Amino acid sequence: MEPRSLVCMLASFMLSFVMFKYGLKFLKERNYLLGIEWLIIGVSGLNFAFYWITLSEYSYSLMIYLDAFSRLFGIPVIGILGMMSVSHHYKPSHSIDIWIFVTSLIGTAILLYTGFFDSSLPYIYLAMWYVFAAYLCYFDMHLFSNGKTKIAIYLLIAIVFSTALHTAYDFYAIPGDDTNVFLNFWVIALVVWSYLFSVIYYAYAALERSAPKPIRVATT
């Protein structure tokens, strides 16, 4: 295996480890939206690592779908709804959780495979990221207002770096990206995502501790 592929594989394993670790923590706290979405990204990381080992076309196709799912619905929709349990003291019922995932999976397939959205898909990805980034800024303001300055600063750093990454994702190629061992898009992206999703867990936990109010459960 060439050095670049090896580093990308190791970075993929790192993301997978982070997502499984914090995904299980969210599940223990009964936040199934964040827990399952974090585990989905963990599976995506494992699949991406497998791709760097095998260069399998099936692995690549699965990577494209899982990446699209997380960028279109998993992070901006499911992520926000999951984090609202501490920012707005709102938690959907289990049946709503299921419907959210089912409709997100179907919606991803429609946007990705029908062909009607091929030219606009990069802009949809970008718009959805900015929706999530705006919510993260709102969440960060809550952390600052509750005196959680340290984790708020960490989250602010994550917002800045991840927003720069997603802005460039489909529109800018790093010079020498195909040959650079460390400063290529995938290594940078996997490191930034590992940092972002781990910080989100600690930001969530910090805000949850600062505002121990009852959670309203939505009914179908």
Side-chain angles (χ1 to χ4, degrees), residues 8-68:
C8 288
M9 180 196 70
L10 293 175
S12 300
F13 278 127
M14 177 183 65
L15 175 66
S16 182
F17 172 79
V18 167
M19 301 314 292
F20 280 120
K21 175 182 178 180
Y22 294 109
L24 292 174
K25 286 180 179 291
F26 277 127
L27 290 181
K28 288 181 180 179
E29 296 178 15
R30 298 182 180 276
N31 191 318
Y32 299 107
L33 289 176
L34 293 182
I36 294 173
E37 172 54 22
W38 261 232
L39 293 182
I40 289 174
I41 300 176
V43 170
S44 181
L46 282 180
N47 175 69
F48 201 30
F50 181 75
Y51 168 76
W52 289 109
I53 297 170
T54 64
L55 299 180
S56 166
E57 292 184 7
Y58 297 105
S59 181
Y60 183 79
S61 297
L62 179 60
M63 177 197 74
I64 294 297
Y65 179 80
L66 292 177
D67 179 68

Side-chain angles (χ1 to χ4, degrees), residues 10-219:
L10 293 175
S12 300
F13 278 127
M14 177 183 65
L15 175 66
S16 182
F17 172 79
V18 167
M19 301 314 292
F20 280 120
K21 175 182 178 180
Y22 294 109
L24 292 174
K25 286 180 179 291
F26 277 127
L27 290 181
K28 288 181 180 179
E29 296 178 15
R30 298 182 180 276
N31 191 318
Y32 299 107
L33 289 176
L34 293 182
I36 294 173
E37 172 54 22
W38 261 232
L39 293 182
I40 289 174
I41 300 176
V43 170
S44 181
L46 282 180
N47 175 69
F48 201 30
F50 181 75
Y51 168 76
W52 289 109
I53 297 170
T54 64
L55 299 180
S56 166
E57 292 184 7
Y58 297 105
S59 181
Y60 183 79
S61 297
L62 179 60
M63 177 197 74
I64 294 297
Y65 179 80
L66 292 177
D67 179 68
F69 171 80
S70 290
R71 294 174 70 188
L72 290 168
F73 298 101
I75 298 305
V77 177
I78 295 172
I80 290 176
L81 290 174
M83 294 176 72
M84 282 176 63
S85 68
V86 292
S87 66
H88 292 76
H89 313 294
Y90 171 81
K91 181 177 174 57
S93 65
H94 295 331
S95 60
I96 293 178
D97 286 349
I98 294 171
W99 277 110
I100 289 170
F101 277 103
V102 170
T103 55
S104 296
L105 290 167
I106 295 172
T108 300
I110 292 172
L111 288 170
L112 196 58
Y113 299 127
T114 58
F116 295 117
F117 303 94
D118 288 353
S119 60
S120 59
L121 202 53
Y123 300 97
I124 297 173
Y125 287 143
L126 187 59
M128 295 305 289
W129 171 259
Y130 277 111
V131 169
F132 184 62
Y135 174 77
L136 285 182
C137 290
Y138 169 81
F139 197 93
D140 209 32
M141 290 172 59
H142 273 280
L143 291 171
F144 277 113
S145 65
N146 281 278
K148 306 297 182 180
T149 305
K150 187 175 181 180
I151 188 62
I153 292 173
Y154 289 152
L155 181 58
L156 182 59
I157 293 171
I159 294 169
V160 170
F161 278 96
S162 55
T163 298
L165 173 71
H166 281 263
T167 301
Y169 201 133
D170 296 296
F171 304 98
Y172 175 77
I174 298 174
D177 185 68
D178 293 335
T179 57
N180 200 302
V181 175
F182 295 102
L183 295 179
N184 63 74
F185 175 81
W186 287 118
V187 170
I188 294 172
L190 292 163
V191 170
V192 169
W193 289 332
S194 296
Y195 175 73
L196 169 67
F197 294 123
S198 59
V199 168
I200 285 176
Y201 172 79
Y202 291 108
Y204 175 98
L207 194 59
E208 184 178 41
R209 288 193 300 269
S210 68
K213 299 177 182 179
I215 294 176
R216 178 168 60 87
V217 178
T219 57

